[in-house]
Amino acid sequence: MELRGEGSGGVGRAGKARRGRSREAGGQAARALLGIEREGRARARRRRLTASPQIESSAMNKRKLKESSGTDGECISQVQKMLRERLCHHRAMGKLFGIDQQYKHLLELLKQTTVCGESNSALIIGPRGSGKTALLNRVLKDLREMKQVKENLLEVHLNGLLQTNDKVALKEITRQLHLENVVGDKVFGSFAENLAFLLEALRKGNRTSSCPVLFVLDEFDLFVHHKNQTLLYNLFDISQSAQTPVTVIGLTCRQDILELLEKRVKSRFSHRRIYLMNSFAFKQYIRIFKEQLSLPAEFPDKAFAQKWNSNIQLLTEDKTVQDILQNLFHYSKDLRSLNFLLMLAVSNVTVRHPLITASDLQEASKQYRMDSKANIVHGLSVLEICLIIAMKHLNDVYEGEPFNFQMVYNEFQKFIQRKAHCMYNFEKPVVMKAFEHLLQLELVKPIERPSAYPNCPTDVKQWAASSLSWL
Amino acid sequence: MQKKKKRKGVGEDEACVTVSPSASVGDGRKPARRSAQTALAISKNCSFMCFCFSSGIMDTRQQSKIIYSWYGKPTNSDRKLRTLQYKGILIKSERSRKERCIQLGDFVLVEGENADQPFVAQLLDLYEDGAEQKHAVVQWFSHISEIPKNKQKLLKRRISSQEVFFDKVSGYDTDIAVETIIDSVLVIPLRLKDELPTRLKKEKIFCVKQSWDGKCFKALSPHTFSKLNEANRKEDGIPNSFNSFVPSDIISSAKKETKKAGLSATKTKNVEMEIESKHSASKSSLSKKRHSLRVANGIKNPTARKKLELNSPTRSPKSKLLEQEDIWALLDDDCDSQLLKPTAIKRKVKFTEVLSSPPKITCANDKLKSVFGTAEDQEVLSGTLRLSPYRKLEDSNEKVKSLNMEVDAIVLTGHKELGSQSPAVTPRSRRTCTQETSTRIAEQISLLNMLESKEEEDFLSSSDGSYSSSSEEEDSDVSCTPEKKTKPSRMFSTPKSSRKPSVHTPAKTPKKTPLPGTPRTPRNATPEIPRRSHAAQKPTSVLEEARLRLHVSAVPESLPCREEEFQDIYNFVESKLIDGTGGCMYISGVPGTGKTATVHEVIRCLQRATEDDDLPSFQFIEINGMKLTDPHQAYVQILELLTGQKVTATHAAVLLANLFCTPGPKRKTTVLVVDELDLLWTRKQNVMYNLFDWPTQKHSKLIILAIANTMDLPERIMMNRVSSRLGLTRMSFQPYTYKQLQQIISSRLNSVKAFEEDAIQLVSRKVAALSGDARRCLDICRRAAEICEFSSQKSADEIVRMTHITQAIDEMFSSPYIQAIRNASLHEQIFFKAILAEFRRVGVEEATVQQVYRQHIALCRMEGMQSPTVSDILAICARLGACRLLLLESSSKYLHMRVRLNISQDDVMYALKDD
């Protein structure tokens, strides 16, 4: 139990672990113990924990409880399953909120492609978590249900994070289209051959007789950085010429995406943009909250469903709940963060605690919006706190100038000698150790010394500093 | 003695022309040659067998060099032009030392662009110019594949692959380099109704029935017909030319022989050139026949037959005879069709006449006779002939008699003699059983031929003339080697078969063809997208129809508003086509101004013109820089489109340079459209250089239309030497004006009444003001039609109005930033405000998160809101950064990360103020 508490104590805002019965006092004690740990390590430990037999035993306990509480337990597990699916998975069945316009537009667009063989291109643009993929998946699902469309559409899904260059992307396209140079799962031929082959294949087709192809480019902005934008040019060019009907749908969160397109590519792009903006007010937000938590009418246990739903209705009218939601809404409007919060809250539901309460939500919100750095500081030892305070004073004195360990140590010594009455005077190596720990926690960062390699060319330096984020 | 002189003359004239890098010749040949000179025919072959095997293997690694030298002294010289004319050319392969002589009037195969498709031509003139370049003037014959598809229909009959057409197309260059001549062939003129004998099919023989002048087919005029016939007759003179290499002692004996042969007509081969030319066709009919047999049968030469015997000792003489018979059966039609066009009976006569001696004997006969031509040989002949069955002697005699009516008296007597001496008329009745084994035999033969073709080359490398001229003559049919130098891997097939794989030689089929039953390899994969299972819906409403017409991909009936540009490009290409020269044109213009469309329209019109015979036909190729993975791939694509070959980039460059820089015979003009030229830029610019250099070559016949976006591209990115080659023929496509755009839309909509006039004008004005991009214009219209359709689902027959257009324009051109900021969460908006405040405070358009955070907290306090934590702020920052509303440094800097706005402060203020 203690270990489990430790784990949840270390969990940052990402804590997804079921905290069912771990909210006992142990957690509090363990947090102090474990706060020292780095976040990453804590996470690793949590992972280990979930695999450990402790969980199994708790699961067994739950099962026992379930048996005792009979159908109630059954209901709870069903509710959890259903809600978790709704909140975590980007399943197509998920409801779409406030984007009916966009839905219709996209559906119409794809219908034209499949039914009439009209080529098109469009971009779905919206901030992260605004439901771009959900929208597309939903549209595709609805499309596939139409008989005329189902057999008439070839889909190619690409992701900018996976297909990092045109060569890989081409192979993937060829593979997904099952063209004839694919044997098994392997694509034969060089890059140039593949390109020529694919272009030839698409050129041969025509509007009325060829099967339309839908290209979905997730993380569209990453394709823009491919050399010469060859892939985009060709896809858009096909969509603008009398070849195989093709629809190119790009998904991106960058608002400046059009500026990234090369002028020829841009000219070939149809400039159809579907924006997802989270453009709802707080009232709608509350309604979304309610709908996400409500149980559907087809829930097997009607009585429980009714009870649950009325509880949700009560929650939406609750002042604290509204405050929590308002806070979150002010912080971020995307639905993914709401789902996350609800996920944490729903995880608290057990047989003993069958309905979500405002306090559950509050707890979840606290967890969700926990300040990670402050959290780390909470777990520091007194000596480490002292050092941090010393550093803060130094920072104030020298106006943000860098300092070294000796300066910090001197500052600490000054404090010990002048003001401290109950503070034990630590040996220098012990202080050094504490300092190193702070370094490890990245509460203190060594400054980058530019003189370490004075003649380093700028581009090399930039390269060294770069990560994926330079894209 | 004249012969000797001639030979000297050749030696003097011999200016070697190296065609391919020379390779060392196997050393082991000389002793073998000696033995070849002395040994008897059959024993020779025996001794050669083993030798040739080893050398054959060696040869596979060697590349041969071919030497072209003049035959005889210059017959004519032109001082002004400094040309010397000759009447023949000797083609000598360095490796095999065998020589062929091709004379004026002969038919030859000329290297084409595609190694597998040589051209057929007749030599009209041979001369050497001042620069010591050897030239030939030819009369072309067109193969069916060279005739445009649409014209092939005019023929209204099936054309066999062996039929060629007397070419009267004016555009072709008849002056070719001698080095491109591969081999001599036979072209038989036929009357239109005559059919090419089926037996002839597999042979390297062509027939000509009609002439082709680029527009229509005509029957051969009697004049050309007779001329061609004459040329054919003259061809029989070829063997004589080889005699010039016969050592004098043999010649002297041969000369004696000629006097004897004067009567017996079977020994025309040793007759001198001069005498030969005087020979009437009838006189030399037999030799002609024999020669044509070999020409027709190139592969199945005497040695081949001998080999067959030697290699299959287990076979009974009967089976041997069967084989021979089969071969001869194949042959007889050949000789028939070529020499006589008479009735079937006459053919039979000829058949028996030639067939009367078993082939094996004939070969030996030929060789020995032609060299020595002595009575002893005749004895040998008659001796061997006794082996053959004596059944149809009377029959043959009868036929010979019937022949006599037609043929010259001398020939008659000769044949009578021969007929009586050689009773080897193989019975007809046996033919049926022969056919059963024929395929097996054919296989055997082809296998042997492969070996022999090499053997012979070595064997005949001793061709000082001491060996029989007849085998040499056969060799001349077989041993053309240009293929070998480029494709040494094909060594095992005879050159003939490698060029035209014949059906009856399975061993010779190219390796490439996949074995039946092997799993499908991606090599021969056809690029294809599956077909749709349901038919595409037809447009149901006016708006749908309009949308379809407005789609950029819809090909309009005409291209409005680019008439001038169209005319300019058309004139340029047309003039170059008519002149048969090359040239470059650079076309520039911003995207969506109709550059590519106009060029395609020009090409379409030109193609139509060629169909109507107003212009010489041309080949159209298009490459697009954006559709290449690498600039050098341009070569690969061009070559593949031109000839269908698939090679690597470097090799393709070499081949293309070869193609365009050397005087390519009979090549059509090529129109090459290079789209997105700027992407062909490389550091050395060699791709661009080559592209623009080729049209300047004299023989290239290459017209390049280069398309790019920027007007000053040549000056900006090209080196001087590249831009100077590109020349100054430039054209710039201006962005469309609103009137033009209006016209484009109207013309596309044509009669479909779906748009208000004002709506169209609004679109065109809007787009013209922005970019002048026709694509944009059409896209807006399409979107407007969609919006209209969408909004008016209840009331049908809605027309696209201004409101729809404005809506579509707003959708497409509105800046997303302001909308994005307005829809951001409250803290995000406060963060923007904090940034603005911080910028104002510092006076620099950049701040760290820390600074902004302070401002943010202050703002929150003012608004009485809960202030966010640092983690919250960083998350907000990251979100806005992902949308690129903010520009961020890498996030590893935590609070010291610097922040900038990606939009103007005014925009942000505007967006935030409205709240």
Side-chain angles (χ1 to χ4, degrees):
Chain A
M1 219 54 253
E2 197 181 281
L3 262 174
R4 191 183 159 84
E6 272 176 28
S8 57
V11 176
R13 53 201 177 101
K16 265 191 204 175
R18 186 105 46 83
R19 290 164 54 91
R21 291 172 302 127
S22 69
R23 283 185 297 125
E24 282 87 13
Q28 202 67 17
R31 186 179 294 169
L33 248 173
L34 195 90
I36 318 158
E37 289 288 335
R38 283 184 58 187
E39 205 184 348
R41 225 191 288 169
R43 215 175 284 152
R45 180 174 300 188
R46 179 161 49 87
R47 230 173 287 138
R48 232 180 299 139
L49 265 174
T50 49
S52 74
Q54 297 245 340
I55 278 286
E56 272 175 36
S57 72
S58 77
M60 248 155 63
N61 286 343
K62 214 169 89 188
R63 218 172 295 145
K64 269 178 209 157
L65 282 169
K66 226 185 269 173
E67 277 158 22
S68 63
S69 57
T71 52
D72 215 20
E74 194 71 21
C75 282
I76 295 292
S77 66
Q78 263 190 1
V79 167
Q80 289 220 336
K81 187 163 167 272
M82 185 176 290
L83 292 184
R84 227 179 296 147
E85 219 161 61
R86 193 186 286 172
L87 299 173
C88 285
H89 296 275
H90 310 284
R91 289 279 285 274
M93 63 234 264
K95 287 188 191 110
L96 300 172
F97 301 101
I99 46 174
D100 294 343
Q101 197 74 33
Q102 287 91 334
Y103 172 81
K104 271 185 198 160
H105 188 172
L106 189 61
L107 187 70
E108 202 58 35
L109 192 81
L110 293 184
K111 245 205 243 165
Q112 272 166 29
T113 304
T114 48
V115 177
C116 306
E118 193 177 319
S119 291
N120 259 318
S121 50
L123 281 177
I124 304 176
I125 305 171
R128 295 215 180 277
S130 56
K132 302 179 290 292
T133 312
L135 169 69
L136 183 73
N137 284 345
R138 180 59 188 271
V139 169
L140 284 179
K141 180 176 167 266
D142 292 353
L143 266 179
R144 285 185 206 119
E145 278 164 12
M146 291 186 241
K147 192 181 166 286
Q148 204 186 4
V149 173
K150 199 168 74 187
E151 303 136 19
N152 267 344
L153 187 64
L154 294 169
E155 287 174 39
V156 176
H157 291 266
L158 302 176
N159 191 316
L161 290 171
L162 296 177
Q163 281 79 41
T164 48
N165 59 37
D166 283 349
K167 190 178 172 182
V168 183
L170 270 177
K171 288 212 168 188
E172 184 63 20
I173 292 172
T174 322
R175 200 183 62 75
Q176 290 190 22
L177 283 177
H178 299 293
L179 293 184
E180 282 193 20
N181 56 351
V182 181
V183 172
D185 237 8
K186 288 224 162 66
V187 180
F188 285 88
S190 67
F191 181 25
E193 279 168 14
N194 281 338
L195 180 65
F197 192 87
L198 183 68
L199 291 179
E200 181 60 32
L202 291 167
R203 182 163 40 231
K204 270 188 179 175
N206 63 7
R207 191 181 71 82
T208 46
S209 66
S210 299
C211 193
V213 187
L214 170 69
F215 289 93
V216 176
L217 307 181
D218 212 344
E219 306 292 347
F220 182 83
D221 44 320
L222 297 182
F223 286 97
V224 165
H225 297 286
H226 294 182
K227 192 188 161 218
N228 287 345
Q229 305 189 352
T230 307
L231 181 75
L232 295 184
Y233 176 92
N234 285 311
L235 288 183
F236 286 142
D237 194 50
I238 293 159
S239 81
Q240 298 252 308
S241 50
Q243 303 179 4
T244 305
V246 148
T247 289
V248 185
I249 305 282
L251 306 175
T252 182
C253 61
R254 287 185 69 159
Q255 304 285 351
D256 60 346
I257 187 70
L258 280 188
E259 290 154 41
L260 298 176
L261 293 176
E262 214 246 2
K263 59 182 184 300
R264 290 168 277 211
V265 182
K266 194 176 170 184
S267 168
R268 280 165 174 79
F269 170 57
S270 72
H271 279 60
R272 239 173 240 267
R273 291 170 294 177
I274 299 171
Y275 284 105
L276 299 178
M277 287 291 193
N278 296 326
S279 52
F280 36 73
F282 183 60
K283 261 189 185 168
Q284 283 163 300
Y285 196 69
I286 294 273
R287 205 162 58 234
I288 294 167
F289 163 80
K290 198 178 119 188
E291 280 186 31
Q292 285 289 57
L293 281 184
S294 305
L295 290 178
E298 58 264 24
F299 192 74
D301 192 336
K302 302 284 180 204
F304 184 83
Q306 206 169 9
K307 205 166 77 179
W308 175 277
N309 283 347
S310 59
N311 178 53
I312 299 297
Q313 181 61 37
L314 282 178
L315 275 183
T316 51
E317 286 151 20
D318 190 284
K319 185 78 184 84
T320 49
V321 173
Q322 284 196 352
D323 277 350
I324 292 164
L325 291 178
Q326 180 93 54
N327 248 329
L328 187 66
F329 182 71
H330 282 164
Y331 165 65
S332 155
K333 280 166 97 177
D334 63 32
L335 294 179
R336 194 178 284 167
S337 61
L338 176 68
N339 285 349
F340 219 95
L341 180 84
L342 297 182
M343 184 68 201
L344 290 173
V346 167
S347 302
N348 281 340
V349 172
T350 60
V351 178
R352 282 183 191 163
H353 179 78
L355 298 174
I356 294 180
T357 59
S359 65
D360 280 339
L361 278 171
Q362 206 154 21
E363 185 69 24
S365 151
K366 213 188 265 174
Q367 233 181 73
Y368 179 57
R369 296 186 59 190
M370 196 185 296
D371 189 341
S372 53
K373 288 280 169 175
N375 215 17
I376 294 172
V377 175
H378 279 312
L380 292 180
S381 68
V382 178
L383 174 59
E384 282 158 349
I385 289 282
C386 287
L387 289 183
I388 290 213
I389 292 165
M391 284 177 215
K392 183 186 175 295
H393 285 308
L394 282 174
N395 216 8
D396 289 346
V397 171
Y398 296 106
E399 286 167 343
E401 284 298 300
F403 45 80
N404 58 20
F405 171 67
Q406 191 60 49
M407 292 161 80
V408 176
Y409 184 67
N410 289 343
E411 191 72 23
F412 177 61
Q413 284 294 318
K414 257 192 256 169
F415 164 70
I416 291 286
Q417 282 156 12
R418 285 190 210 150
K419 291 171 189 158
H421 304 295
C422 56
M423 188 75 188
Y424 178 73
N425 192 4
F426 291 100
E427 298 281 321
K428 196 174 177 183
V430 177
V431 179
M432 182 69 182
K433 200 73 195 165
F435 185 80
E436 277 173 1
H437 189 223
L438 291 179
L439 265 179
Q440 277 177 356
L441 289 174
E442 290 191 345
L443 289 172
V444 186
K445 263 178 93 179
I447 56 159
E448 296 131 17
R449 257 167 286 171
S451 58
Y453 189 75
N455 294 329
C456 185
T458 331
D459 38 1
V460 175
K461 263 190 253 169
Q462 282 170 348
W463 183 47
S466 73
S467 64
L468 263 183
S469 64
W470 67 275
L471 292 173
Chain B
M1 283 304 102
Q2 233 174 332
K3 245 181 231 166
K4 229 182 174 180
K5 260 187 203 168
K6 221 176 249 172
R7 197 171 153 237
K8 260 187 192 167
V10 171
E12 282 158 14
D13 289 341
E14 218 164 72
C16 296
V17 181
T18 314
V19 173
S20 72
S22 69
S24 64
V25 181
D27 288 351
R29 279 178 203 165
K30 276 187 181 166
R33 213 204 307 167
R34 290 279 151 248
S35 68
Q37 283 173 2
T38 50
L40 280 168
I42 291 171
S43 63
K44 260 182 232 163
N45 277 322
C46 289
S47 66
F48 267 106
M49 281 269 289
C50 47
F51 164 65
C52 293
F53 269 67
S54 61
S55 69
I57 292 157
M58 212 161 61
D59 284 344
T60 53
R61 273 179 246 121
Q62 286 172 350
Q63 294 195 315
S64 75
K65 171 172 147 184
I66 296 186
I67 296 163
Y68 293 85
S69 50
W70 293 122
Y71 169 73
K73 286 214 166 160
T75 51
N76 211 346
S77 67
D78 190 328
R79 265 201 213 142
K80 264 186 197 161
L81 294 168
R82 297 173 68 202
T83 56
L84 298 166
Q85 286 181 316
Y86 295 86
K87 58 183 175 186
I89 183 110
L90 288 167
I91 301 175
K92 183 174 168 188
S93 166
E94 163 107 323
R95 187 159 44 78
S96 61
R97 295 274 170 78
K98 64 192 162 146
E99 284 178 321
R100 277 161 294 142
C101 180
I102 298 171
Q103 295 181 352
L104 294 185
D106 287 359
F107 297 98
V108 289
L109 285 180
V110 180
E111 267 176 50
E113 285 141 55
N114 202 334
D116 293 334
Q117 281 223 324
F119 298 123
V120 183
Q122 185 183 17
L123 271 186
L124 296 183
D125 195 8
L126 287 162
Y127 68 92
E128 183 168 280
D129 64 9
E132 300 208 329
Q133 294 287 318
K134 295 182 171 57
H135 289 272
V137 178
V138 292
Q139 163 64 51
W140 291 111
F141 289 87
S142 292
H143 198 254
I144 185 74
S145 58
E146 293 163 40
I147 289 166
K149 281 264 170 348
N150 55 327
K151 297 294 179 191
Q152 289 180 15
K153 283 177 259 165
L154 293 176
L155 277 165
K156 293 188 183 105
R157 63 188 172 97
R158 252 188 71 245
I159 302 297
S160 82
S161 62
Q162 281 170 298
E163 179 160 351
V164 289
F165 299 93
F166 190 79
D167 203 321
K168 285 181 177 168
V169 183
S170 51
Y172 295 142
D173 191 3
T174 54
D175 193 333
I176 61 168
V178 157
E179 291 84 59
T180 55
I181 296 176
I182 301 170
D183 197 3
S184 59
V185 283
L186 209 61
V187 178
I188 314 158
L190 288 177
R191 297 282 175 218
L192 190 51
K193 53 190 178 296
D194 290 345
E195 275 304 307
L196 189 71
T198 47
R199 298 279 188 183
L200 220 91
K201 290 270 155 68
K202 44 191 82 114
E203 305 306 338
K204 189 125 215 137
I205 242 177
F206 295 95
C207 65
V208 56
K209 292 177 183 174
Q210 281 174 302
S211 69
W212 160 246
D213 63 357
K215 287 170 190 167
C216 55
F217 297 95
K218 282 181 193 137
L220 290 177
S221 67
H223 178 63
T224 45
F225 194 87
S226 60
K227 245 173 52 185
L228 289 172
N229 247 339
E230 197 137 315
N232 257 330
R233 261 166 229 142
K234 248 176 85 187
E235 197 134 307
D236 301 320
I238 286 180
N240 291 321
S241 61
F242 292 94
N243 290 340
S244 56
F245 302 99
V246 177
S248 55
D249 53 337
I250 297 171
I251 292 168
S252 58
S253 70
K255 262 194 142 184
K256 282 176 219 155
E257 188 54 38
T258 38
K259 279 164 201 160
K260 281 190 211 164
L263 286 169
S264 67
T266 47
K267 291 144 195 164
T268 46
K269 287 193 177 172
N270 288 1
V271 181
E272 299 247 337
M273 184 66 181
E274 284 80 356
I275 299 168
E276 158 65 21
S277 62
K278 280 173 212 155
H279 269 316
S280 70
S282 54
K283 260 186 195 165
S284 58
S285 65
L286 182 60
S287 77
K288 200 189 292 170
K289 261 171 255 163
R290 199 178 293 141
H291 170 70
S292 59
L293 281 175
R294 275 179 217 113
V295 169
N297 208 22
I299 294 160
K300 295 178 193 64
N301 42 42
T303 20
R305 271 168 238 134
K306 261 176 251 161
K307 275 286 137 29
L308 189 71
E309 287 164 350
L310 290 166
N311 279 351
S312 54
T314 49
R315 279 200 206 168
S316 67
K318 255 192 184 176
S319 71
K320 257 183 259 169
L321 276 171
L322 290 180
E323 291 166 29
Q324 315 297 354
E325 190 199 7
D326 189 53
I327 294 158
W328 285 103
L330 294 175
L331 290 177
D332 76 329
D333 275 356
D334 298 357
C335 69
D336 272 354
S337 57
Q338 160 190 353
L339 293 167
L340 339 146
K341 289 132 255 151
T343 58
I345 300 166
K346 279 175 198 162
R347 278 186 194 178
K348 256 191 179 171
V349 175
K350 290 286 169 191
F351 168 61
T352 45
E353 181 186 303
V354 180
L355 269 197
S356 51
S357 62
K360 180 206 157 192
I361 297 151
T362 343
C363 326
N365 197 0
D366 281 350
K367 279 176 206 154
L368 297 170
K369 245 193 282 175
S370 53
V371 180
F372 306 106
T374 54
E376 296 153 41
D377 298 323
Q378 293 288 358
E379 275 173 29
V380 173
L381 172 75
S382 53
T384 42
L385 285 176
R386 262 164 236 144
L387 288 169
S388 46
Y390 197 85
R391 267 175 55 179
K392 282 211 171 175
L393 176 62
E394 291 138 352
D395 181 33
S396 75
N397 272 341
E398 266 175 34
K399 280 168 186 167
V400 169
K401 263 177 202 163
S402 67
L403 172 77
N404 289 348
M405 322 286 262
E406 306 244 336
V407 189
D408 217 67
I410 305 164
V411 181
L412 172 78
T413 52
H415 275 296
K416 269 196 168 171
E417 219 175 50
L418 213 148
S420 58
Q421 270 181 6
S422 55
V425 187
T426 31
R428 280 269 183 201
S429 56
R430 285 207 188 167
R431 275 201 164 186
T432 45
C433 60
T434 322
Q435 269 152 10
E436 287 167 24
T437 52
S438 64
T439 45
R440 199 160 49 88
I441 294 160
E443 260 179 51
Q444 191 88 19
I445 290 169
S446 66
L447 269 168
L448 288 165
N449 279 338
M450 281 168 13
L451 299 170
E452 266 155 358
S453 64
K454 280 175 283 136
E455 255 170 73
E456 268 177 24
E457 277 161 27
D458 298 297
F459 186 52
L460 297 166
S461 61
S462 60
S463 63
D464 285 0
S466 65
Y467 196 57
S468 68
S469 62
S470 68
S471 67
E472 240 184 75
E473 156 203 335
E474 267 134 26
D475 203 278
S476 73
D477 294 325
V478 184
S479 64
C480 56
T481 45
E483 290 269 319
K484 283 182 188 166
K485 27 168 196 173
T486 50
K487 286 163 195 168
S489 61
R490 287 195 182 175
M491 274 303 286
F492 275 100
S493 57
T494 57
K496 262 201 174 173
S497 61
S498 66
R499 230 176 284 123
K500 275 199 176 176
S502 47
V503 196
H504 65 113
T505 54
K508 281 185 249 170
T509 48
K511 279 177 204 165
K512 268 185 190 172
T513 53
L515 292 168
T518 51
R520 190 196 58 195
T521 53
R523 275 263 158 255
N524 46 29
T526 48
E528 201 174 26
I529 295 286
R531 304 183 75 75
R532 56 187 299 150
S533 46
H534 295 275
Q537 212 176 57
K538 290 266 181 295
T540 48
S541 69
V542 179
L543 283 172
E544 265 180 49
E545 169 83 29
R547 231 178 42 213
L548 218 60
R549 283 166 169 274
L550 286 171
H551 199 282
V552 183
S553 71
V555 182
E557 293 93 23
S558 67
L559 218 58
C561 312
R562 287 293 180 220
E563 288 85 7
E564 271 177 47
E565 285 86 353
F566 175 86
Q567 205 53 50
D568 284 358
I569 300 174
Y570 189 91
N571 290 346
F572 174 79
V573 180
E574 189 189 34
S575 65
K576 298 283 177 196
L577 274 179
I578 291 169
D579 296 350
T581 54
C584 296
M585 185 174 205
Y586 177 73
I587 300 165
S588 66
V590 293
T593 47
K595 302 177 295 295
T596 313
T598 309
V599 168
H600 279 158
E601 184 74 14
V602 168
I603 298 294
R604 261 200 300 279
C605 282
L606 286 168
Q607 273 164 346
R608 228 172 289 142
T610 54
E611 276 169 35
D612 300 345
D613 309 318
D614 298 335
L615 281 175
S617 67
F618 63 93
Q619 195 170 7
F620 168 59
I621 301 179
E622 189 186 15
I623 59 166
N624 187 325
M626 271 289 203
K627 294 181 178 174
L628 304 171
T629 53
D630 176 90
H632 293 97
Q633 286 292 322
Y635 297 131
V636 180
Q637 290 227 331
I638 294 172
L639 190 74
E640 196 185 336
L641 291 166
L642 262 179
T643 64
Q645 289 167 279
K646 272 190 180 176
V647 292
T648 59
T650 40
H651 190 198
V654 174
L655 288 179
L656 283 175
N658 216 350
L659 190 67
F660 290 122
C661 299
T662 52
K666 215 180 171 185
R667 212 179 40 232
K668 280 187 208 166
T669 305
T670 309
V671 179
L672 174 62
V673 173
V674 185
D675 216 341
E676 315 294 0
L677 176 75
D678 49 332
L679 284 160
L680 294 184
W681 186 87
T682 53
R683 196 121 60 111
K684 282 188 174 173
Q685 308 195 356
N686 42 5
V687 178
M688 282 185 177
Y689 177 86
N690 279 334
L691 276 182
F692 299 130
D693 190 39
W694 291 331
T696 60
Q697 300 287 328
K698 190 182 157 202
H699 309 284
S700 62
K701 287 191 170 185
L702 179 67
I703 304 168
I704 289 191
L705 300 173
I707 305 176
N709 288 134
T710 35
M711 197 152 72
D712 57 344
L713 187 84
E715 284 72 35
R716 221 150 37 89
I717 69 164
M718 289 185 202
M719 295 174 184
N720 287 336
R721 60 194 171 101
V722 179
S723 57
S724 96
R725 274 170 176 78
L726 174 55
L728 290 167
T729 321
R730 308 245 175 115
M731 166 164 294
S732 171
F733 279 63
Q734 297 305 316
Y736 289 113
T737 63
Y738 85 90
K739 276 193 176 151
Q740 288 173 324
L741 288 173
Q742 215 173 326
Q743 202 184 332
I744 288 170
I745 299 172
S746 317
S747 80
R748 281 214 177 211
L749 284 174
N750 208 357
S751 55
V752 179
K753 193 84 187 85
F755 278 72
E756 251 178 17
E757 268 312 304
D758 288 349
I760 295 176
Q761 191 172 351
L762 176 68
V763 180
S764 21
R765 276 186 189 272
K766 187 82 189 173
V767 173
L770 279 168
S771 60
D773 186 338
R775 289 198 189 103
R776 205 61 330 97
C777 196
L778 294 171
D779 280 335
I780 292 172
C781 289
R782 208 153 56 89
R783 177 68 189 137
E786 230 167 79
I787 292 170
C788 173
E789 202 177 344
F790 211 61
S791 62
S792 67
Q793 252 151 9
K794 302 122 227 166
S795 59
D797 288 345
E798 180 74 21
I799 191 167
V800 179
R801 294 179 197 290
M802 297 272 265
T803 49
H804 303 126
I805 295 283
T806 10
Q807 203 183 333
I809 288 173
D810 281 350
E811 227 174 67
M812 289 198 175
F813 293 111
S814 67
S815 162
Y817 294 111
I818 289 167
Q819 209 55 35
I821 293 175
R822 279 186 188 164
N823 282 317
S825 69
L826 190 59
H827 274 298
E828 283 162 356
Q829 288 181 349
I830 294 172
F831 191 77
F832 273 115
K833 281 179 191 162
I835 288 173
L836 288 182
E838 184 61 26
F839 283 178
R840 211 170 301 131
R841 188 182 72 86
V842 184
V844 186
E845 296 226 337
E846 193 174 84
T848 63
V849 175
Q850 198 170 23
Q851 294 166 317
V852 179
Y853 183 46
R854 265 190 221 121
Q855 293 280 350
H856 193 113
I857 289 173
L859 281 171
C860 282
R861 268 194 216 119
M862 277 204 312
E863 307 236 345
M865 285 178 63
Q866 197 185 353
S867 52
T869 61
V870 180
S871 293
D872 286 346
I873 282 294
L874 285 171
I876 287 172
C877 211
R879 276 206 298 270
L880 296 178
C883 293
R884 284 301 192 281
L885 292 167
L886 296 182
L887 294 175
L888 303 177
E889 264 186 321
S890 80
S891 57
S892 65
K893 292 209 173 156
Y894 199 54
L895 277 176
H896 299 283
M897 176 165 66
R898 278 195 290 270
V899 176
R900 252 185 297 167
L901 282 175
N902 198 24
I903 22 172
S904 75
Q905 293 191 29
D906 295 337
D907 279 356
V908 178
M909 262 179 336
Y910 171 76
L912 293 174
K913 206 176 275 174
D914 266 15
D915 278 9

